[in-house]
Amino acid sequence: MTIAEIFETMDYGTAPESPSMALAWLDRHDRAFGHFIDGAFTKPGKARFDSLSPATGAQLASLTEATQKDVNAAVAAAARAQKGWADLGGPGRARHLYALARLIQKHARLFAVLESLDNGKPIRETRDADVPTAARHFYHHAGWAQLMETELPGYEAVGVAGQIIPWNFPFLMLAWKIAPALAMGNTVVLKPAEYTSLTALLFAEICLEAGLPAGVVNIVTGHGAVGSMIAGHKDVDKVAFTGSTGVGRVLREQTAGSGKKLTLELGGKSPFIVFDDADLDSAVEGVVDAIWFNQGQVCCAGSRLLVHEAVAARFLDKLMLRMARLRVGDPLDKSVDLGCIVDPVQLARITRMVDRGVADGAVLYRADTPLPDSGCYYPPTLLTGVEAGSTLAQEEIFGPVLVAMSFRTPEEAVQLANNSRYGLAASLWSENINLALGLAPQIKAGVVWINCTNQFDAAAGFGGYRESGFGREGGREGLYEYVKPVWQKTLKDAPEAKPAKLVETGLGGLSGIDRTAKMYIGGKQARPDSGYAMPVVSPKGRLIGQVGHGNRKDIRNAVEAATGALAGWQKASGHLRAQILYYIAENLSARSAEFEGRLREMTGASAKAAATEVQTSIDRLFTAAAWADKYDGQVHSVPLRGAVLAMKEPVGVLGIVCPAEAPLLAFVSLVAPAIAMGNTVVVVPSDIAPLAATDLYQVFDTSDLPGGVVNIVTGHRDELSGTLADHYGVDGLWYHGSRDGSARVEKASAANLKRTWVNNGKALDWTNPTQAAGEALLRHATEVKNVWIPYGE
Ligand code: NDP
């Protein structure tokens, strides 16, 4: 082709990047790797697997499958190194993190080329996105290490972090995991994905070059079983995982009851919503980034296009035109838009899902995009005529496949957007900022991008709602995933309570008993479905009252009431919620003597202790009221002309299972902050001393608390917490009971990946406000949503 012809057609030529430096690096290691444990590479082991180039199928290197012995050695090295690393202090650790960041920048080209070779993603992306963002994570978290002592007083490292990462952003995910862990004083054992371990091994070499103390970072390679060995290791204190929702569930079950901290960053089916007033050309470019970046193998890919009906045809025409200009080819060619799918297995999976969707009636569009003759390539694909409930619209395809639907009103757009079990991200396109900012809080997703998409930065948290997992990575909010309060290690075992026996005669059937408390559901007193009651007995064995024996059906009714009340309560201003909480406090105060008497009767507490419990409960209500309009979010400082609003939102419907002890104080300490933040709650009070809680319904009724915000179901703690844990309508569950009960709650919560907070059989000191009031509680009661708003013309 002559230059004149090139000017005429404006076609791109190829711009190949040389793989020679990356291949030379592999050669220096004889194309065979062991693990990186305790500051040194081990010899390549006997059990090996190959790392292949998805573009050519060529073997790049042979890697070692870790054994239990290898994992034990890595965890032991991390455990040995942890104290020294934490004791180095924030400023000391910061120096190391800066050094790592600089070395990543120094070797940026090598990282980028190696990543493209191994994963198949275009060099344009590894060079301009993956590697610089990874370096940025180390720089940013070096700063957090420096500031830890002043900004997170009272917190310390969790210990050894086991980190399991996927193949779609191998090096970037490593940085997302390792940088905050090290900054907060943890040491790590990381397993990269089997397909893409090479940049992790290059990073290990960088750790040596940076003089990182031995054992602070350990990298073991292998398949899923190795991930499982790490997560199951008794000396691993924290598990951080990114990958499929299926494996996320397995890890939730595997770690249940172990006391390990867990963060799960899982799949998504994120909506990309285009309103009729959007800048359609920009939105088309947005779609390109949303679904064809990294061949669509992105957890937060905008894979569900929702377009306003009025512009749908015009928008799809523009999109199809743009699709015709996309270039698919050799990942090392700097002028391709899409490279390879990571592996033939993933290619087959995408092909299978699309073929099945088309057989079910979806309409397929592809431009006439030439693909290389061999290698793992899949063309950019658009599917229309898709039902909202179909597999194509609900399941993560994890490939360059966009599914399009239309909507008529903003309400319908929100409904469609939320019609998913996932909730990772959403992208909204409209020139009407009022509309966009009005909808952002209504969308159930951890990240909302307004007139932009796939923006990431170390200063902004990232993570999901619903089955997209829990926990945040990045931003101030992400730091809390790698620390624990210093007081946590001082907690003592919770007192064991004996479950009460059923009274077969039915509620109210005992003569001479005037305290036959009902449940409180939807703002009304409710009889238990079972028709049975449970006795409330004084410490000396005297029968002092009875409460309903709640069952599955009562919990269902209570969850229904809480769900019904949620939208209104969530929308109510913090100011209004504060007023109601103050009112509850005043009304409780007016009846202090009665509540003190009840506590003395049920628990045998002294007059002084009972008075203190009531007064502290009143104080907790005042504290929660005070916080209701003050637990603010943040505006994150990211390298973007715009603002990122980190908004604190309520979790939703919360189940709260109270401990046996401190029957009034624990109830109030847990419920007050939960509702102050806009959650509605289903509460199971102390099962041995429930009357103080059930008496509260009169206080609620006289304090303007809307029906359904607080629902109380009495009964056996562990029976009812099991039902709450299984219930799909419960978004979060707090459990303060036994060790076994904590394990059961965590295990059952895997079904819908509800957020859990369990005490693992340890009792909080309910009188201590550091443990049982303020931030310690408020963080459990909220989730952070990051809303990205670029500005300027
Ligand atoms: P997985 O969730 O299986 O893999 C993620 C990581 O977990 C890998 O390191 C994997 O190891 C490891 N792993 C697998 N099983 C276990 C286990 N039981 N215990 C501990 N660790 C384990 O994702 P896949 O690679 O299998 O991809 C399957 C699908 O998952 C994709 O098609 C996509 O839909 C989704 N996915 C989502 C991602 C996201 O970011 N949301 C990322 C990747 C995939 P190894 O790979 O070596 O077997």
Side-chain angles (χ1 to χ4, degrees):
M1 191 181 277
T2 65
I3 298 217
E5 279 166 346
I6 292 174
F7 270 114
E8 193 55 40
T9 60
M10 292 301 282
D11 269 354
Y12 287 96
T14 54
E17 171 81 19
S18 165
S20 58
M21 297 299 276
L23 296 178
W25 180 79
L26 291 170
D27 288 339
R28 273 207 302 285
H29 287 269
D30 296 328
R31 304 247 180 169
F33 291 86
H35 313 293
F36 182 68
I37 297 174
D38 209 10
F41 282 100
T42 62
K43 287 211 177 70
K46 284 203 190 87
R48 307 266 200 96
F49 61 98
D50 288 336
S51 198
L52 305 175
S53 150
T56 63
Q59 191 223 42
L60 294 169
S62 157
L63 306 176
T64 301
E65 181 77 25
T67 59
Q68 185 67 57
K69 213 169 140 197
D70 296 325
V71 170
N72 292 349
V75 174
R80 275 196 306 275
Q82 199 269 322
K83 187 169 180 307
W85 179 244
D87 288 350
L88 195 57
R93 294 194 301 275
R95 299 293 178 277
H96 283 287
L97 286 159
Y98 280 126
L100 289 169
R102 290 224 182 80
L103 286 171
I104 292 168
Q105 285 182 318
K106 179 174 154 194
H107 299 292
R109 202 61 162 204
L110 178 57
F111 270 110
V113 175
L114 189 63
E115 192 83 305
S116 284
L117 275 177
D118 197 20
N119 167 284
K121 56 170 74 194
I123 179 82
R124 195 176 49 83
E125 292 177 9
T126 53
R127 182 197 59 194
D128 299 345
D130 298 54
V131 178
T133 316
R136 160 100 181 115
H137 264 265
F138 280 96
Y139 275 120
H140 181 79
H141 285 95
W144 277 125
Q146 181 80 21
L147 301 174
M148 180 179 177
E149 278 141 43
T150 50
E151 292 302 303
L152 283 93
Y155 284 95
E156 64 185 1
V158 180
V160 175
Q163 307 184 316
I164 303 159
I165 57 172
W167 42 258
N168 54 344
F169 292 91
F171 186 50
L172 182 57
M173 285 302 111
L174 173 148
W176 278 28
K177 296 273 181 295
I178 292 187
L182 297 196
M184 296 296 105
N186 304 275
T187 52
V188 306
V189 176
L190 176 133
K191 187 196 88 67
E194 150 219 355
Y195 299 146
T196 54
S197 303
L198 297 180
T199 44
L201 294 165
L202 174 57
F203 177 76
E205 214 171 80
I206 299 277
C207 292
L208 284 176
E209 196 179 337
L212 197 70
V216 170
V217 168
N218 303 274
I219 291 170
V220 290
T221 52
H223 290 71
V226 179
S228 185
M229 288 176 208
I230 295 173
H233 199 291
K234 67 172 183 23
D235 294 332
V236 166
D237 306 294
K238 147 96 197 177
V239 175
F241 171 78
T242 299
S244 60
T245 296
V247 175
R249 278 205 181 89
V250 170
L251 289 172
R252 170 66 294 180
E253 290 186 8
Q254 190 186 357
T255 55
S258 65
K260 291 181 190 358
K261 239 177 130 109
L262 178 68
T263 39
L264 299 175
E265 201 269 273
L266 309 175
K269 191 77 186 177
S270 300
F272 186 103
I273 311 172
V274 182
F275 287 93
D276 50 349
D277 65 349
D279 171 348
L280 297 189
D281 294 315
S282 297
V284 165
E285 285 314 307
V287 171
V288 172
D289 259 355
I291 189 65
W292 292 309
F293 173 62
N294 200 23
Q295 297 69 248
Q297 302 166 125
V298 183
C299 49
C300 52
S303 51
R304 276 192 302 150
L305 173 64
L306 307 176
V307 197
H308 192 282
E309 199 181 56
V311 293
R314 197 147 57 92
F315 188 76
L316 290 180
D317 282 348
K318 280 175 182 280
L319 185 61
M320 289 175 189
L321 267 180
R322 182 67 179 87
M323 285 172 77
R325 308 296 299 171
L326 292 173
R327 293 163 59 98
V328 182
D330 179 3
L332 286 184
D333 177 352
K334 289 179 211 100
S335 60
V336 300
D337 297 294
L338 283 83
C340 297
I341 302 301
V342 71
D343 188 84
V345 171
Q346 182 66 9
L347 183 63
R349 187 172 180 272
I350 299 167
T351 310
R352 209 168 44 240
M353 285 186 80
V354 172
D355 291 352
R356 203 175 296 156
V358 172
D360 289 347
V363 180
L364 178 140
Y365 172 79
R366 280 182 193 140
D368 199 10
T369 313
L371 298 188
D373 296 334
S374 63
C376 273
Y377 295 95
Y378 196 88
T381 299
L382 168 67
L383 294 166
T384 54
V386 174
E387 294 291 325
S390 65
T391 308
L392 281 181
Q394 292 292 327
E395 297 299 322
E396 191 174 37
I397 300 174
F398 229 62
V401 182
L402 178 66
V403 171
M405 286 171 274
S406 64
F407 64 86
R408 290 183 183 168
T409 60
E411 293 72 31
E412 197 192 349
V414 171
Q415 234 170 42
L416 281 170
N418 288 339
N419 179 13
S420 168
R421 61 196 171 97
Y422 295 116
L424 195 50
S427 180
L428 292 178
W429 293 74
S430 167
E431 291 301 290
N432 179 350
I433 192 71
N434 294 327
L435 175 76
L437 285 177
L439 295 187
Q442 297 178 46
I443 295 187
K444 304 246 181 300
V447 183
V448 177
W449 293 296
I450 294 179
N451 293 328
C452 61
T453 193
N454 273 347
Q455 298 290 315
F456 311 100
D457 185 60
F462 182 88
Y465 280 31
R466 298 175 162 179
E467 292 185 33
S468 291
F470 43 75
R472 294 290 177 265
E473 294 186 305
R476 191 186 182 98
E477 55 268 35
L479 301 177
Y480 291 99
E481 311 295 346
Y482 284 100
V483 292
K484 59 174 196 250
V486 173
W487 51 257
Q488 200 167 292
K489 54 181 178 258
T490 65
L491 297 182
K492 305 257 179 336
D493 287 344
E496 260 312 310
K498 277 190 237 101
K501 288 198 193 80
L502 280 190
V503 179
E504 299 287 345
T505 46
L507 192 67
L510 291 180
S511 58
I513 304 277
D514 61 347
R515 286 178 199 130
T516 52
K518 298 202 185 73
M519 309 200 192
Y520 185 60
I521 296 178
K524 296 192 182 71
Q525 290 192 71
R527 287 178 171 279
D529 169 71
S530 66
Y532 291 123
M534 285 168 43
V536 182
V537 182
S538 77
K540 293 212 169 106
R542 190 171 60 83
L543 191 61
I544 50 176
Q546 54 184 347
V547 291
H549 177 243
N551 66 14
R552 200 163 265 282
K553 182 125 188 278
D554 301 308
I555 291 283
R556 269 210 308 269
N557 293 340
V559 172
E560 206 176 295
T563 307
L566 183 62
W569 186 243
Q570 201 170 337
K571 251 189 247 148
S573 64
H575 171 69
L576 178 74
R577 293 198 291 260
Q579 278 182 299
I580 292 174
L581 280 158
Y582 282 130
Y583 204 4
I584 295 173
E586 280 164 14
N587 285 330
L588 178 58
S589 181
R591 298 173 56 172
S592 304
E594 182 192 326
F595 276 86
E596 284 165 22
R598 187 76 85 234
L599 287 174
R600 294 187 63 188
E601 224 179 345
M602 286 191 301
T603 65
S606 67
K608 188 160 168 248
T612 306
E613 179 160 351
V614 174
Q615 287 314 309
T616 316
S617 302
I618 294 166
D619 190 55
R620 288 290 144 82
L621 285 160
F622 274 107
T623 303
W627 273 116
D629 58 356
K630 295 176 195 65
Y631 192 55
D632 295 331
Q634 275 190 297
V635 180
H636 285 314
S637 173
V638 296
L640 163 96
R641 203 147 66 96
V644 176
L645 310 183
M647 295 170 26
K648 288 181 173 146
E649 296 191 339
V651 173
V653 173
L654 274 185
I656 297 180
V657 180
C658 298
E661 72 275 13
L664 179 68
L665 180 57
F667 181 103
V668 171
S669 299
L670 293 166
V671 170
I675 63 173
M677 292 298 104
N679 301 283
T680 56
V681 297
V682 176
V683 199
V684 177
S686 160
D687 61 359
I688 54 164
L691 292 175
T694 51
D695 284 352
L696 278 172
Y697 82 85
Q698 292 159 345
V699 176
F700 295 147
D701 278 349
T702 49
S703 309
D704 295 341
L705 185 72
V709 172
V710 176
N711 304 277
I712 303 173
V713 178
T714 49
H716 284 312
R717 179 186 70 195
D718 288 327
E719 250 170 59
L720 297 177
S721 55
T723 307
L724 282 167
D726 288 337
H727 200 301
Y728 272 67
V730 175
D731 302 299
L733 182 51
W734 298 355
Y735 173 89
H736 287 265
S738 66
R739 211 183 148 84
D740 287 351
S742 298
R744 276 199 299 275
V745 161
E746 287 189 331
K747 196 159 189 166
S749 73
N752 75 338
L753 289 167
K754 54 175 69 69
R755 287 88 187 94
T756 53
W757 172 35
V758 302
N759 71 335
N760 291 307
K762 301 280 178 196
L764 290 186
D765 174 0
W766 296 100
T767 61
N768 180 345
T770 311
Q771 297 182 19
E775 250 216 308
L777 278 285
L778 299 168
R779 192 158 323 102
H780 291 293
T782 50
E783 290 198 277
V784 179
K785 171 183 277 176
N786 277 275
V787 181
W788 290 65
I789 315 163
Y791 47 60
E793 284 294 311

